[in-house]
Amino acid sequence: MHDDAATASPHELAAPPTADRRPISRTHHGHTVVDDYEWLRAKEDPEVLAHLEAENSWTQDQLAGLRPLRERIFTEIKDRTQETDLSVPTRLGDHWYYGRFTEGQQYPVHARVPVTDPDDWTPPALEPGEVPAGEQVLLDQNEAAAGHDFFSLGSFSVAPQGERLAYAVDTTGDERYTLRVRDLSTGADLADEVVGTFPGAVITPDGRYVFYPTVDEAWRPCTIWRHEVGTPVADDVQVFHEPDERFWVGVGLSRSQQYLHVELGSKMTSECWVLETTDPTGEFRPVWRRREGVEYTVEHAVLPGHGDALLVLHNDGAQNFELAVTDVPPRPAAGDAGAADALDPGAARVAVAHDPQVRLESVDAFADHVVLGVRRDATPRVAVVTLATLAPDAPWTPRELDFPEALYSAVPGETPEFAAPQVRVEYTSFVTPATVLDVDVATGERTVRRQQPVLGGYDPADYVQQREWATAEDGTRIPVSLVWKRDAVTLDSAGTGADPAPLLLYGYGAYEISVDPYFTVPRLSLLDRGVVFAVAHVRGGGEMGRAWYEGGRLEHKRNTFTDFVACAHHLVDAGWTTPQRMVADGGSAGGLLMGAVTNLAPEMFAGVLAGVPFVDALTSILDPSLPLTVVEWEEWGNPLADPEVYAYMRSYSPYENVPDDASHYPRILAVTSLHDTRVLYVEPAKWVARLRAAGAPALLKIEMSAGHGGVSGRYARWEEIAFEHAWTLDVLGLAQED
């Protein structure tokens, strides 16, 4: 392990860095704000960089005593992880594709082996550390990352017929990717190179064309281009451009390989255009024209008695979404140069009707069946429809797959081949390592293809998971999930805490993103030391369906914060923990949650861990030139145009509400990255400066060569986790016991 920022000795750091107060005022809707630390936004200013380096040095100095603990935790993670490992192969065309890790390497190698029997759908049994016969390496990320402090793969698209690979990499963390094309018959990159693309490029099945997105000045993917392999980039053709700044644009390929999709969406409205892959230079055609507040996605299917069709998952009059069947938009008549007409949504036939208790989240079509991702009772599940059993025009009856655990996550797994006769499922829980299984659609037989190895004798029976319910201010019941080591926590006869334990409470609560049960090796280092890990499933997420999300956005955003505080109170009242033994944790929009609850209820937590935190929300959302701002107005509201939205956001934005005296605040650690384009580093930098000026015990750790997801490479990531875990254990009073 190493600490990149540990550059100063203790005697050089007698006091924390102090950011100068350089007042800048802004006025909106008659309200003036004086911001003392906005000058920290000047990312290229040597004085700003020096301040950030000083913050890193101060943080490392203050936590220097935790270095041995960090090293132990890193070693625990490493020793429990099977470092030489590989994924379960997935079939596409004539090959099985997989990724493999090798001990000592930061990144995976992407490879494939030929299909030996077209009728055999059993993935080849590959052994970690052994190179299988016939293996072809498509991309070694370690080679591509050589010489770079940061590396991220943003596009990876194989042309099964054309023997080409389109891939894109970012080596700074700013999410600007360079797109390249590799000839898989030789392993050499072609001369084609496109700089400044957005992730998600796709190559046509014949390998002749690559479709890729680019961004505008506000980092919004807004344009789709067509590149013909072997031609100058200057000749690339713009095939789609979206001028509305609320909408992001992406491009995709149907599983059937028959259609290209251009998909665009704001937070609450979407639209999809399609084009046959046999006519890649043709014109994309709209499926349904966008209507404000209507979201939909499409999936190409071949249905008995119908032929080519589109499955449309939509929320038009269906809050939790329903599934409809419609035709493929017809091609314009020969010689017709006019714009293609979109289909009439009213002509679509309902296949799976709306259910207020079941959120339809995804649809995947195969030759013989359709797989649905559904959410019921705060649990993600998988359901299957066998096409051969469908009666003409009759409603579909999806068959849910059952699992024995009370808390779990089951989602459709990666299955790129349209002809696959089985359903791949990815299953996990707080105590069950990630498991990949295939379910035979015809027989229902289940075959476990892989379960994440946990070295060192891990036994799921040594750990316990449980769901509880807190009561929010307005009486809403909020799910709280807990997991702990069985012999480390004492329970009473009611099954709640009899002896308050140290506890880490995690939350997110935005964008309808759900924090579902999941297993992770690094968490064991906390559980084995007696820490209870809890998740507050607050409103703003999607755990309880679309209404749960609606209850925590726009004018209801404060519910997210008060729900989290209610969960903290519940855990204390039920005897699980005490405020002196509880740390709150969240990142990005969950970092906004951390800042808000620190202001709302500082007495409830001993520490707050905020990763890439969105803590200067009002300042950012007021500036439409910043990345993401305009597209975020549907999530938070538009404070530029609406004085009520401005006043509401001002009432909860963490940076705006740090009190003059914050000496009673819990210990705070903010972690961020210099090149983050989603939540700019300046937000936590300003927040920590203001907190510290108000007397709060706040620390800032900033990665100087990383983006929104933090450091790249698995070992670097383990070091980061070990750093945060050691800080958490120190706050909980467990560092000295180690």
Side-chain angles (χ1 to χ4, degrees):
M1 283 186 62
H2 62 278
D3 293 312
D4 294 333
T7 58
S9 61
H11 72 271
E12 294 176 300
L13 298 169
T18 302
D20 292 342
R21 294 178 183 266
R22 302 178 187 178
I24 298 173
S25 64
R26 69 164 190 256
T27 301
H28 291 88
H29 308 297
H31 178 259
T32 298
V33 171
V34 177
D35 191 337
D36 291 330
Y37 303 109
E38 178 64 13
W39 65 274
L40 292 172
R41 190 177 297 275
K43 180 179 178 181
E44 307 300 329
D45 187 333
E47 191 174 3
V48 172
L49 293 174
H51 174 76
L52 298 177
E53 294 285 9
E55 287 282 12
N56 270 343
S57 294
W58 174 252
T59 296
Q60 295 291 352
D61 178 72
Q62 293 299 293
L63 303 180
L66 298 178
R67 183 190 297 269
L69 177 56
R70 293 200 295 269
E71 292 176 347
R72 284 195 293 277
I73 294 172
F74 175 85
T75 300
E76 290 168 6
I77 297 171
K78 188 173 183 293
D79 288 349
R80 282 174 166 143
T81 301
Q82 184 169 296
E83 296 181 65
T84 297
D85 205 0
L86 43 77
S87 65
V88 179
T90 59
R91 182 168 163 180
L92 177 61
D94 296 329
H95 290 87
W96 291 98
Y97 293 80
Y98 55 93
R100 56 177 170 83
F101 270 108
T102 300
E103 183 175 354
Q105 294 185 340
Q106 293 272 23
Y107 303 98
V109 172
H110 301 271
R112 68 182 183 182
V113 293
V115 171
T116 56
D117 180 356
D119 296 324
D120 185 2
W121 288 89
T122 303
L126 308 182
E127 293 298 326
E130 296 182 6
V131 177
E135 180 185 79
Q136 179 185 12
V137 173
L138 307 181
L139 179 67
D140 184 338
Q141 288 190 216
N142 300 283
E143 291 182 0
H148 301 288
D149 292 333
F150 179 90
F151 180 84
S152 174
L153 183 65
S155 299
F156 188 90
S157 178
V158 176
Q161 304 162 21
E163 286 298 282
R164 285 174 175 164
L165 165 70
Y167 72 99
V169 302
D170 165 25
T171 55
T172 64
D174 63 359
E175 300 187 54
R176 268 68 171 179
Y177 291 79
T178 298
L179 175 66
R180 298 185 176 92
V181 178
R182 177 162 294 184
D183 184 340
L184 296 181
S185 65
T186 66
D189 285 347
L190 304 178
D192 307 72
E193 182 176 285
V194 187
V195 177
T197 70
F198 193 76
V202 296
I203 192 167
T204 53
D206 61 6
R208 184 175 176 185
Y209 294 94
V210 179
F211 290 77
Y212 63 90
T214 58
V215 300
D216 61 15
E217 293 182 357
W219 190 78
R220 176 183 67 98
C222 61
T223 306
I224 303 298
W225 300 83
R226 183 182 68 238
H227 171 73
E228 184 175 3
V229 177
T231 66
V233 172
D235 294 342
D236 288 1
V237 177
Q238 177 180 305
V239 299
F240 197 93
H241 176 73
E242 176 52 52
D244 191 328
E245 293 179 303
R246 298 175 302 159
F247 286 81
W248 281 30
V249 180
V251 62
L253 184 66
S254 69
R255 180 175 286 98
S256 66
Q257 303 272 304
Q258 293 186 35
Y259 290 92
L260 290 154
H261 299 167
V262 167
E263 298 159 337
L264 54 150
S266 69
K267 295 296 180 186
M268 305 303 296
T269 305
S270 58
E271 188 174 69
C272 185
W273 297 56
V274 297
L275 174 67
E276 286 78 7
T277 54
T278 55
D279 183 26
T281 61
E283 298 293 326
F284 282 86
R285 309 186 298 279
V287 179
W288 291 354
R289 290 290 184 186
R290 74 187 72 171
R291 289 172 290 155
E292 201 70 25
V294 174
E295 302 168 69
Y296 74 92
T297 59
V298 301
E299 174 83 343
H300 172 240
V302 181
L303 302 181
H306 188 287
D308 287 329
L310 294 179
L311 307 182
V312 184
L313 191 65
H314 70 90
N315 70 336
D316 186 11
Q319 185 181 48
N320 267 345
F321 288 70
E322 70 179 13
L323 185 66
V325 177
T326 191
D327 293 324
V328 177
R331 299 188 189 193
D336 184 357
D341 291 332
L343 298 173
D344 176 10
R349 177 176 64 82
V350 175
V352 180
H354 174 257
D355 184 338
Q357 305 303 318
V358 178
R359 170 72 160 92
L360 299 184
E361 296 190 319
S362 66
V363 56
D364 296 289
F366 297 85
D368 299 321
H369 60 278
V370 170
V371 180
L372 295 172
V374 304
R375 178 174 297 275
R376 181 167 52 81
D377 299 331
T379 301
R381 307 163 188 263
V382 175
V384 182
V385 175
T386 303
L387 296 181
T389 64
L390 298 177
D393 299 327
W396 297 4
T397 305
R399 181 179 75 256
E400 283 190 15
L401 304 181
D402 294 325
F403 295 93
E405 293 183 275
L407 298 183
Y408 67 85
S409 300
V411 298
E414 182 184 6
T415 312
E417 178 55 55
F418 186 66
Q422 71 263 7
V423 176
R424 178 153 292 179
V425 177
E426 296 179 359
Y427 179 90
T428 187
S429 75
F430 287 116
V431 300
T432 302
T435 304
V436 176
L437 56 98
D438 285 340
V439 181
D440 187 286
V441 174
T443 66
E445 181 182 358
R446 301 183 183 191
T447 304
V448 174
R449 300 300 186 191
R450 178 185 186 273
Q451 185 169 79
Q452 174 188 358
V454 183
L455 306 183
Y458 173 76
D459 184 351
D462 292 340
Y463 301 84
V464 185
Q465 59 178 351
Q466 183 170 305
R467 173 69 51 79
E468 296 207 0
W469 297 84
T471 302
E473 288 183 347
D474 61 2
T476 301
R477 298 177 74 234
I478 312 298
V480 185
S481 297
L482 302 99
V483 59
W484 65 93
K485 191 169 186 181
R486 188 180 300 274
D487 61 5
V489 176
T490 304
L491 303 183
D492 59 21
S493 59
T496 57
D499 184 14
L503 186 144
L504 179 64
L505 179 60
Y506 179 83
Y508 187 76
Y511 306 117
E512 203 179 358
I513 293 174
S514 302
V515 184
D516 296 313
Y518 67 101
F519 180 87
T520 174
V521 163
R523 188 194 297 137
L524 297 177
S525 292
L526 296 177
L527 301 184
D528 287 354
R529 288 172 169 84
V531 177
V532 176
F533 178 76
V535 177
H537 302 284
V538 295
R539 281 173 284 186
E543 286 89 340
M544 301 286 283
R546 173 51 66 90
W548 202 248
Y549 169 50
E550 298 286 358
R553 63 183 282 266
L554 295 174
E555 71 274 15
H556 304 299
K557 188 61 202 172
R558 287 183 64 87
N559 285 339
T560 302
F561 317 136
T562 55
D563 284 358
F564 191 89
V565 173
C567 291
H569 277 290
H570 170 82
L571 293 169
V572 171
D573 294 343
W576 284 103
T577 190
T578 66
Q580 296 75 30
R581 307 202 76 189
M582 179 159 47
V583 169
D585 179 16
S588 194
L592 165 66
L593 171 61
M594 293 301 99
V597 301
T598 302
N599 291 334
L600 278 174
E603 73 285 353
M604 288 303 299
F605 309 100
V608 173
L609 176 58
V612 291
F614 184 43
V615 283
D616 193 16
L618 182 56
T619 301
S620 294
I621 297 300
L622 281 167
D623 187 352
S625 70
L626 291 178
L628 303 180
T629 289
V630 174
V631 299
E632 294 287 315
W633 283 344
E634 289 186 348
E635 179 77 18
W636 314 98
N638 182 354
L640 268 178
D642 191 330
E644 292 186 3
V645 171
Y646 176 88
Y648 188 60
M649 289 194 70
R650 182 165 59 88
S651 74
Y652 67 71
S653 185
Y655 179 69
E656 304 276 340
N657 289 282
V658 174
D660 293 337
D661 181 5
S663 58
H664 60 296
Y665 271 32
R667 289 173 59 182
I668 295 168
L669 175 62
V671 179
T672 189
S673 302
L674 183 64
H675 300 301
D676 192 339
T677 53
R678 296 174 184 257
V679 178
L680 302 186
Y681 76 91
V682 68
E683 296 203 26
K686 288 170 58 177
W687 184 51
V688 167
R690 187 164 184 175
L691 283 165
R692 190 177 293 141
L699 297 175
L700 175 67
K701 184 176 187 293
I702 179 167
E703 292 294 337
M704 303 304 284
S705 59
H708 190 64
V711 294
S712 66
R714 57 176 174 170
Y715 296 109
R717 181 58 186 149
W718 293 348
E719 290 184 0
E720 184 68 26
I721 292 171
F723 186 95
E724 295 175 5
H725 278 8
W727 179 86
T728 298
L729 291 168
D730 187 45
V731 173
L732 293 172
L734 299 176
Q736 299 305 316
E737 299 176 14
D738 201 84

